[in-house]
Amino acid sequence: MRSVKEADVRGKYVLVRVGFDVPLKNGKVVDDKRLRVSLPTISLLRKKGAKIILISHLGRPDGKVVEELRLAPVAKALSKLLKYPVLYEPDCIGSDVEERVRELHDGDVLLLENLRFYPEEEKDDKGFAQKLAAFADIYINDAFSVCHRAHASIRAITEFLPAYSGLSLEQEVKMLSSLLRNPKHPFIAIMGGAKVSDKIGVIENLLKKVDSILIGGAMMFTFYKALGYEIGKSKFESNKVALAKVLLKRGKKNIILPIDVVLNSKKAVSVHKIPKSAAGLDIGPETQAIYAELIREAKTVFWNGPMGMFENKNFAKGTAAVAKAMAKCKGITVVGGGDSVAAIEKAKLSDKFTHVSTGGGASLEFLEGKELPGIKALNENILN
Ligand code: ADP
Ligand code: MG
């Protein structure tokens, strides 16, 4: 990958793919984390005197114009963060855009409209990529969260412009690679969330690298079902029980399961004593203490997926215990996944982590050991 740091951008039109897929409420950005991570690249380009054209998607408009998914509020929020006006154009290709682009001065920033208003974007359409490329000299990908998608603004575009990586993308790749290559031991992974099926690839790949994988969330019950325990009405995946059995066999020593759970009645019980009529909604206090101890002593920790139904404060203690232990850990701490990141942001702990990934799906696919299409395109680096 060539870095934006090496790119000669002075006076040039630089097309930057960003991942501004932010939550909006009443026409306002309610969480600007995905804007903040783009600031280093945008500021660097401004300092170097580039003319900056930002492109992004927002939500799932499925190839048509959806008024609520326009990027105008994002331009406003970004202006505030940059302390510099961010211009906005309500389309992303065509002659109006071209005219607007030609009016830019060195250091100016223009945000184009939601790429996914065009169905061609998600189809990795070359014609569409060529239209995006038409008004630029250089392409920079700073949208790690979309790199697991072969979309026109991520992959096809690299066939038409010299491509470089942005600073936040580089940071993501550096941090996640360090987990796969020579991590310091003890290396602990904590996996939670709703489904085993979402995370199976990561568990399989990480089993080869970690000292222990601590399991929480609803997925623990798929494992307990595989062990023949009574799990009552707890959520589990019936079609993944066989797979859980295979994993438990393979990871005999390093898959660690909770020893107690918090039930829907808020009572904590041993995992051997889950009543038929009850559902487990969080890891119990004894498990929390064991997990916290293991995490605090680790040299490398990766976490994905909440330990319980943390949206309800009665079942949020397991997730909070993991977040706090990681915040105290002196080793490398990395968290990925939409809900786990939301949990640490809510607890105001994100600055205590070595790295908070912006890419839920992308970080998981990366840790599965897959080569992401967006990263591959940057590595192949066809044009000069
Ligand atoms: P992430 O976005 O961090 O990857 P997931 O999307 O996989 O995490 O899972 C998050 C969801 O899992 C949350 O909505 C949470 O309520 C749910 N969840 C976690 N544990 C349980 C449980 N024991 N029972 C039911 N739902 C759970
Ligand atoms: Mg999620």
Side-chain angles (χ1 to χ4, degrees), residues 8 23 33 43-44 51 56-57 75 123 169 189 195 227 247 267-268 283 285 314 349 354 374 382:
D8 172 19
K33 175 170 168 56
S43 301
L44 176 68
K51 301 174 173 77
S56 182
H57 75 282
K123 292 186 184 133
L169 183 143
K195 297 192 211 139
L227 290 170
L247 283 177
K267 203 177 138 207
I283 57 173
N314 294 315
L349 290 172
T354 315
I382 327 162

Side-chain angles (χ1 to χ4, degrees), residues 3-37:
S3 167
V4 58
K5 285 178 270 181
E6 307 160 33
D8 172 19
V9 297
R10 182 162 303 280
K12 294 201 175 140
Y13 295 94
V14 180
L15 191 66
V16 188
R17 176 50 158 115
V18 284
F20 288 171
D21 187 17
V22 290
L24 296 175
K25 213 180 218 168
N26 305 324
K28 280 212 171 105
V29 175
V30 288
D31 179 355
D32 63 2
K33 175 170 168 56
R34 286 185 159 171
L35 307 184
R36 281 184 275 120
V37 297

Side-chain angles (χ1 to χ4, degrees), residues 141 146-150 154-155 158 372-379:
N141 184 344
V146 205
C147 280
H148 58 318
R149 308 278 183 225
I154 295 286
R155 206 215 54 82
T158 61
L372 310 184
I375 309 282
K376 183 162 185 260
L378 289 176
N379 282 334

Side-chain angles (χ1 to χ4, degrees), residues 198-199 306 337-340:
D198 288 347
K199 320 222 160 147
D339 292 291
S340 351

Side-chain angles (χ1 to χ4, degrees), residues 90-131:
D91 203 346
C92 62
I93 51 171
S95 53
D96 285 1
V97 178
E98 172 107 44
E99 246 172 64
R100 198 75 195 277
V101 165
R102 295 304 165 224
E103 289 165 8
L104 294 176
H105 300 284
D106 292 358
D108 279 352
V109 186
L110 170 65
L111 175 64
L112 303 185
E113 190 54 278
N114 196 336
L115 294 161
R116 291 193 188 164
F117 286 177
Y118 289 89
E120 294 91 337
E121 161 65 1
E122 293 188 68
K123 292 186 184 133
D124 198 23
D125 184 87
K126 287 194 189 186
F128 181 67
Q130 196 163 18
K131 284 181 196 157

Side-chain angles (χ1 to χ4, degrees), residues 43-200:
S43 301
L44 176 68
L45 290 169
R46 281 191 16 83
K47 212 160 64 195
K48 286 188 169 191
K51 301 174 173 77
I52 303 156
I53 310 147
L54 303 174
I55 49 173
S56 182
H57 75 282
L58 174 63
R60 297 178 183 275
D62 288 331
K64 47 189 190 316
V65 175
V66 174
E67 289 303 323
E68 297 75 44
L69 295 176
R70 288 196 178 276
L71 284 166
V74 174
K76 234 187 215 168
L78 183 64
S79 299
K80 269 195 201 139
L81 289 172
L82 263 182
K83 302 187 179 76
Y84 190 80
V86 173
L87 308 166
Y88 158 74
E89 178 65 27
D91 203 346
C92 62
I93 51 171
S95 53
D96 285 1
V97 178
E98 172 107 44
E99 246 172 64
R100 198 75 195 277
V101 165
R102 295 304 165 224
E103 289 165 8
L104 294 176
H105 300 284
D106 292 358
D108 279 352
V109 186
L110 170 65
L111 175 64
L112 303 185
E113 190 54 278
N114 196 336
L115 294 161
R116 291 193 188 164
F117 286 177
Y118 289 89
E120 294 91 337
E121 161 65 1
E122 293 188 68
K123 292 186 184 133
D124 198 23
D125 184 87
K126 287 194 189 186
F128 181 67
Q130 196 163 18
K131 284 181 196 157
L132 286 172
F135 28 74
D137 304 308
I138 286 178
Y139 165 79
I140 288 164
N141 184 344
D142 206 24
F144 176 75
S145 56
V146 205
C147 280
H148 58 318
R149 308 278 183 225
H151 289 173
S153 66
I154 295 286
R155 206 215 54 82
I157 190 118
T158 61
E159 293 186 27
F160 302 100
L161 290 173
Y164 294 80
S165 57
L167 299 174
S168 85
L169 183 143
E170 271 167 50
Q171 184 64 11
E172 291 271 11
V173 170
K174 187 179 140 206
M175 289 312 306
L176 295 173
S177 314
S178 77
L179 296 179
L180 298 180
R181 267 190 244 133
N182 293 321
K184 285 205 173 125
H185 291 270
F187 177 11
I188 303 257
I190 308 129
M191 303 294 295
K195 297 192 211 139
V196 184
S197 48
D198 288 347
K199 320 222 160 147
I200 202 72

